[in-house]
Amino acid sequence: MARKVQWVYAIGSSWARYDTAAEKQIENLWHRDAAGWIKSQVFGDYVYIDTSHLSMTYGTYTYTIARRYS
């Protein structure tokens, strides 16, 4: 069985998932080793994703992001 890729961000000592549409956008950035703005339903706004540094910026906050398999 094929495992599904999930994108998550650190919130305190936990990991939270992005919405499916955001995960697809982040995965596209990942394959290009790129950074850019994506629309996130979870945050209700655009967030800046940097796949080289595995980080997300929303407002003045920066979060660690990770790619994992479910």
Side-chain angles (χ1 to χ4, degrees), residues 2-20:
R3 298 186 309 171
K4 183 178 185 254
V5 171
Q6 293 179 337
W7 280 95
V8 294
Y9 59 96
I11 188 82
S13 61
S14 300
W15 292 98
R17 283 192 63 188
Y18 288 95
D19 54 275
T20 304

Side-chain angles (χ1 to χ4, degrees), residues 9-65:
Y9 59 96
I11 188 82
S13 61
S14 300
W15 292 98
R17 283 192 63 188
Y18 288 95
D19 54 275
T20 304
E23 284 184 328
K24 289 178 184 177
Q25 294 173 79
I26 298 168
E27 188 69 10
N28 286 334
L29 290 171
W30 169 263
H31 284 289
R32 294 183 287 125
D33 192 27
W37 292 95
I38 67 158
K39 180 71 172 173
S40 169
Q41 292 176 0
V42 171
F43 285 86
D45 203 353
Y46 286 89
V47 296
Y48 187 78
I49 301 290
D50 187 331
T51 58
S52 296
H53 293 117
L54 289 175
S55 67
M56 172 191 68
T57 303
Y58 176 65
T60 59
Y61 297 99
T62 299
Y63 301 82
T64 299
I65 65 173

